[in-house]
Amino acid sequence: MSNKLALDILERSGWTGAEAALGVAITELADISLWWAAPLALSLASAKSWVAGRLGRKGTASTLPESKDPATPPGVGGGATYAQ
């Protein structure tokens, strides 16, 4: 497994965990049913993707820098493909 793929996996799983934890925390603090945690996490994920698409690497929802993002074409910003 390439380092870029590992970073991509860590980024995605880290954001997913953070969004899920925030969804649960919000439902606990608001004293509402835990069933609302999933829609809240989905909303947080959508908001993160929207912000990352404007502030992060253009054309993706990644928060990884261009040189570390596996979606970066070879030869652009030091990017590489998954297959190595």
Side-chain angles (χ1 to χ4, degrees):
M1 178 173 11
S2 72
N3 286 340
K4 289 183 183 226
L5 177 58
L7 281 173
D8 191 41
I9 291 169
L10 285 172
E11 178 207 15
R12 291 169 188 257
S13 58
W15 277 114
T16 300
E19 292 153 0
L22 276 170
V24 170
I26 291 168
T27 59
E28 288 293 318
L29 290 171
D31 197 27
I32 58 176
S33 172
L34 187 59
W35 286 103
W36 284 101
L40 283 169
L42 175 63
S43 298
L44 291 168
S46 297
K48 190 279 302 179
S49 296
W50 185 84
V51 170
R54 278 135 190 87
L55 299 178
R57 186 178 175 290
K58 298 297 180 203
T60 73
S62 177
T63 55
L64 289 174
E66 186 174 28
S67 63
K68 306 269 190 236
D69 188 358
T72 303
V76 175
T81 60
Y82 280 110
Q84 290 187 356

